[in-house]
Amino acid sequence: MELAARIRKIPDFPKPGILFYDISTLLIDPAAWRETIGRLAEAARAFRPEVLAAIESRGFLLAAPLALELGVGFVMVRKVGKLPGTVVSHSYDLEYGSDTLQLADGLIRRGSRALVVDDLIATGGTAAASVELLRKVGAEVVGALFLIELEGLEGLARLPVPGRSILRFPA
């Protein structure tokens, strides 16, 4: 099945000059969605994860069914103020500013094999910050998995762990 053909391309979103790869058209197609989770599961098994750590918010859409398929746990890496209770934070620099990610404290057992999951990797900054956040809570981050990789931005090469994508599109 040609999954790339089921992803809608929206020019000039969220700002002029950006081509947005919209996975909504993949999610609405049950056969394509099932195939997507199957391909992601095949790639994820090579990492032998015990927990999937999904990046807000489209990463949640992928990681939740993927965790069920793999029989592993699932945690959410979120922006500030989105998680209840005690959290662990990690701030990082972006091209034009900074941001902070958070993870609920106490969910991940020290030494657990964690796999970062998101829908898309561009420059890799948020994914790399997610790896550092997971390391703060004692996880052994074994890799990162993405549905889409934007070619030419070298996001996977910038990660401090092995990374893999299922689809590649021009940036």
Side-chain angles (χ1 to χ4, degrees):
M1 179 180 291
E2 181 56 44
L3 295 178
R6 288 170 169 77
I7 295 176
R8 180 170 54 167
K9 289 99 181 145
I10 301 175
D12 299 320
F13 184 82
K15 61 184 183 179
I18 301 292
L19 181 59
F20 184 80
Y21 294 98
D22 181 18
I23 66 170
S24 298
T25 48
L26 182 71
L27 299 172
I28 196 71
D29 181 338
W33 185 224
R34 189 173 299 109
E35 178 72 17
T36 299
I37 296 303
R39 289 187 194 179
L40 287 167
E42 182 180 328
R45 282 186 185 98
F47 293 100
R48 298 184 357 260
E50 296 172 294
V51 63
L52 304 182
I55 300 172
E56 184 170 339
S57 66
R58 289 182 302 271
F60 301 168
L61 299 171
L62 298 170
L66 183 57
L68 284 174
E69 177 71 21
L70 297 173
V72 301
F74 163 63
V75 296
M76 297 176 283
V77 176
R78 304 224 49 193
K79 304 279 183 174
V80 173
K82 302 286 185 173
L83 291 170
T86 305
V87 297
V88 178
S89 300
H90 178 73
S91 296
Y92 62 105
D93 292 326
L94 300 164
E95 287 181 44
Y96 303 104
S98 63
D99 207 349
T100 300
L101 296 175
Q102 295 184 321
L103 185 64
D105 193 23
L107 290 181
I108 297 179
R109 183 181 42 80
R110 292 188 81 65
S112 291
R113 295 176 59 83
L115 179 65
V116 172
V117 176
D118 204 1
D119 70 318
L120 183 139
I121 184 165
T123 62
T126 301
S130 297
V131 169
E132 295 309 315
L133 175 60
L134 288 160
R135 287 176 173 167
K136 274 187 178 180
V137 299
E140 176 192 348
V141 186
V142 294
L145 179 61
F146 306 90
L147 175 60
I148 298 168
E149 175 187 357
L150 295 185
E151 296 173 320
L153 299 180
E154 304 300 324
L156 289 179
R158 289 189 177 102
L159 295 179
V161 295
R164 172 123 191 256
S165 64
I166 303 303
L167 302 172
R168 294 173 56 108
F169 288 108

